[in-house]
Amino acid sequence: MGDGEKKRLGELFKALGTMVPLWETAGLAITCPANGAVIAWLAPDSVESLSEKVSRAHAAQQAWSVLHRSQRVSLLEAVSTVLKQHREVLAEVLMLEAGKTAKEALVEVDGSAEVLLKTIRDAALPELNGMVRCKERPPVGVVGLITSFNFPLVVANWLVAPALLARNALVWKPSEKTPLTALAYKAVFAAAMGAHAGLLQIVIGGRDIGEALVAHERVDMVSATGSVAMGKGIKAALAVKKNNAVRPILELGGNNGVIVSEKISQAHLEWSLASLMGSFLGTSGQRCTNTRRLIVHRKIHEAAVAILQKHIEHFIASGAIQSPLSAVSNEYGYGPLIDGDAYDRFERAKKKVMEEGGKILFGKRMLETQYPNAYYVEPALALLPKQTALMHEEIFAPLLFIVPYDDIEQAMAILNAPANAGLVGGIYTQSQSEADRFAAENQAGHGLINSPKGTGTPAFGMGFGGNKASGEGEILNAADPLRAFTREDSFSRIAQNKDVAMDKD
Ligand code: NAD
């Protein structure tokens, strides 16, 4: 199994003008989550090759940092254009190695192209008297970028765009589960950036090479997206590193809770639960922003569970849970779990719920005969009498904990209790005083009141970032998107007349 996918991968990389750097049958094995087949073996980087790449990034950064802003902007616009030209190819790579459905993969590629342009727009101040204006601070130098498996492309682009616009270079270590997307992106990047292609270096490997990247003395800043455990490891490493003057950006795990109040009409209850289905099921529970805990007033608990059951029954019966490599797609981007470890975590959580006196609805394994090495599951509802230690963990699978509460004070305490409840919190209520209390006491980086998308965040324009154990720093910061990737020591405000032709070079 896997020969067809391997061949297809070769064709996709050929379409990007490059080759899959295959390493026979040794090195880092890349598995296709849709069927469990190994589709590539990549040569992992060593500490020596990492150092070479850091040096190349430094050299590229020297040439880049003296370019005028307009030249940097046009090259980044070119990356966006080439991404759009190859959107289907990149989407297929995402489907093969990250298990994305076609629809979700295309949304991710389009979002990646858009975020490059959005960062350029956000970084420019409004024109004044015909003057184009921006703020410039000294660049950091070389940024070590570490990313997670679940959004292999768009999360990187959130950071590549401001880092480059701020005149830095990057050494990117993608997840060991999804490095092919990074290699495909590198081909797009090289085609657009020409002589400046060296600004983005890719290192292949797992946690060990990530640790080496963080510790490397010539890496001037770290921007990492991953689990809370990864964040702790990186903070500990930075604490003893000499070159650690620039604050890292850490985008970490979330454990997003939503309160459903009894101060709600039947129609609004139905709407609320339908609204959060997307953030429960999205990417099969493998998003940092998934709704993971539902805190429901005891009076409406039974009714709420019945409504959710109806939605899940309908979703399963629709036949939407299929291999993403089939033509079937679904509105939630619901496909397989990334691997056996994710499935084991899901199963362990279900077992623990039962041991703790709770009840599991749905959550069966699916398509096992067809794909014994791939992990498709029904979404699961985990009913618990009260919040337990298990609910402080990010299960990172389609499992929704549901607990009852008796008053809003207790609901807020449950919502805020886990250290990793720092990304998104929400409430559905028709009581203004409850909404105000939630806004004042929610400890997560984002608070959503009666959201039409559950805990899916309205990040654009608001910035994106976690509090508590869920992160440090803010990305997609519309007010000053480049700031995190610059040094604070001096600061210029640049204004240039847009009507004077600058054509005498
Ligand atoms: P992970 O923590 O297992 O790995 C993430 C990356 O960090 C990988 O590239 C890995 O090799 C590397 N890594 C792990 N430990 C490291 C260390 N000590 N030093 C250096 N590098 C290290 O996470 P994952 O399973 O790939 O992704 C899922 C996690 O990412 C979830 O917790 C999810 O919530 C989180 N996430 C957060 C955001 C956000 O914006 N807050 C976005 C996407 C994913």
Side-chain angles (χ1 to χ4, degrees):
M1 192 161 64
D3 288 345
E5 288 80 21
K6 272 189 208 148
K7 186 166 170 267
R8 186 66 191 139
L9 209 52
E11 288 165 0
L12 294 169
F13 272 69
K14 199 169 164 202
L16 295 171
T18 186
M19 278 165 53
V20 194
L22 290 176
W23 229 45
E24 300 296 320
T25 53
L28 180 66
I30 311 304
T31 304
C32 173
N35 56 20
V38 173
I39 50 171
W41 295 90
L42 300 184
D45 272 279
S46 62
V47 174
E48 290 73 32
S49 64
L50 164 70
S51 275
E52 274 169 35
K53 289 178 180 178
V54 173
S55 295
R56 275 186 234 151
H58 267 287
Q61 196 266 338
Q62 296 296 309
W64 180 244
S65 66
V66 295
L67 281 194
H68 187 269
R69 186 183 172 86
S70 61
Q71 294 167 299
R72 276 178 277 139
V73 163
S74 21
L75 283 166
L76 284 178
E77 284 171 347
V79 176
S80 176
T81 305
V82 183
L83 262 179
K84 283 181 202 155
Q85 281 162 1
H86 292 293
R87 68 192 282 273
E88 276 94 6
V89 173
L90 282 153
E92 223 182 303
V93 177
L94 277 169
M95 290 161 69
L96 281 169
E97 78 162 353
K100 300 261 168 174
T101 61
K103 189 174 165 198
E104 189 178 23
L106 283 169
V107 167
E108 178 160 357
V109 181
D110 292 345
S112 301
E114 171 54 26
V115 84
L116 294 166
L117 303 180
K118 180 193 165 356
T119 307
I120 294 166
R121 284 196 303 272
D122 285 350
L125 296 168
E127 269 180 37
L128 186 67
N129 302 332
M131 303 290 276
V132 177
R133 303 177 306 149
C134 65
K135 297 176 185 175
E136 289 224 334
R137 295 186 189 82
V140 160
V142 169
V143 176
L145 177 63
I146 294 174
T147 51
S148 56
F149 78 82
N150 59 332
F151 285 101
L153 197 61
V154 77
V155 162
N157 270 295
W158 284 354
L159 300 146
V160 166
L164 286 185
L165 200 54
R167 296 188 282 152
N168 302 291
L170 293 130
V171 180
W172 175 16
K173 192 207 87 64
S175 163
E176 54 275 39
K177 296 173 187 174
T178 54
L180 293 168
T181 305
L183 294 171
Y185 179 76
K186 169 78 182 165
V188 165
F189 186 84
M193 298 289 283
H196 296 282
L199 282 168
L200 182 68
Q201 301 287 328
I202 310 272
V203 285
I204 302 293
R207 177 180 168 160
D208 52 343
I209 204 73
E211 287 171 344
L213 177 64
V214 171
H216 199 289
E217 59 184 14
R218 297 193 69 209
V219 169
D220 304 292
M221 174 191 172
V222 172
S223 173
T225 304
S227 59
V228 171
M230 177 212 72
K232 276 191 187 143
I234 290 178
K235 275 197 256 183
L238 288 177
V240 295
K241 184 177 172 178
K242 286 203 184 90
N243 180 13
N244 72 345
V246 182
R247 213 179 147 205
I249 294 184
L250 298 173
E251 294 292 335
L252 307 175
N255 191 352
N256 313 304
V258 171
I259 297 169
V260 185
S261 164
E262 87 289 14
K263 295 181 179 169
I264 200 168
S265 68
Q266 180 62 27
H268 189 58
L269 177 64
E270 300 264 358
W271 176 85
S272 303
L273 297 173
S275 300
L276 60 75
M277 285 306 289
S279 64
F280 165 35
L281 298 182
T283 320
S284 317
Q286 300 174 115
R287 285 184 193 166
C288 57
T289 53
N290 284 117
T291 307
R292 305 208 178 273
R293 295 176 300 135
L294 214 56
I295 304 148
V296 185
H297 195 280
R298 201 175 295 279
K299 272 192 197 155
I300 56 160
H301 183 268
E302 208 180 306
V305 171
I307 294 169
L308 287 169
Q309 267 183 278
K310 194 184 66 193
H311 282 298
I312 297 173
E313 272 161 16
H314 179 74
F315 176 60
I316 296 170
S318 74
I321 308 177
Q322 288 290 341
S323 162
L325 303 182
S326 69
V328 180
S329 223
N330 61 70
E331 63 184 299
Y332 303 120
Y334 196 100
L337 295 174
I338 188 77
D339 57 16
D341 287 347
Y343 176 67
D344 289 347
R345 216 170 35 239
F346 179 71
E347 286 297 305
R348 270 199 308 274
K350 276 168 45 191
K351 194 162 164 248
K352 193 95 186 24
V353 167
M354 305 297 279
E355 286 166 7
E356 289 179 347
K359 190 172 168 189
I360 292 285
L361 301 174
F362 311 101
K364 285 203 296 287
R365 186 163 172 189
M366 296 181 73
L367 309 174
E368 191 178 355
T369 316
Q370 208 174 342
Y371 305 113
N373 299 318
Y375 302 93
Y376 295 86
V377 295
E378 292 175 355
L381 299 178
L383 314 186
L384 276 165
K386 62 178 183 10
Q387 178 151 275
T388 65
L390 176 66
M391 289 178 63
H392 288 231
E393 289 171 34
E394 187 193 31
I395 308 298
F396 221 58
L399 183 136
L400 182 65
F401 291 110
I402 306 178
V403 285
Y405 75 88
D406 294 298
D407 59 52
I408 188 70
E409 191 172 352
Q410 188 194 14
M412 287 306 304
I414 298 172
L415 181 78
N416 287 329
N420 58 2
L423 207 54
V424 192
I427 189 167
Y428 288 98
T429 183
Q430 289 180 284
S431 152
Q432 190 60 52
S433 64
E434 278 187 352
D436 291 345
R437 180 161 187 174
F438 165 82
E441 294 178 14
N442 163 50
Q443 294 173 357
H446 301 257
L448 305 177
I449 301 162
N450 295 322
S451 158
K453 291 190 168 192
T455 46
T457 63
F460 273 13
M462 282 188 99
F464 184 72
N467 291 337
K468 308 208 293 185
S470 299
E472 283 181 20
E474 191 183 56
I475 53 173
L476 294 174
N477 175 346
D480 197 350
L482 312 194
R483 183 170 195 146
F485 292 95
T486 55
R487 293 185 190 266
E488 292 288 327
D489 34 5
S490 63
F491 185 7
S492 302
R493 297 153 190 89
I494 316 284
Q496 175 170 331
N497 194 318
K498 71 177 172 51
D499 296 325
V500 177
M502 304 297 282
D503 53 2
K504 302 290 181 222
D505 285 324

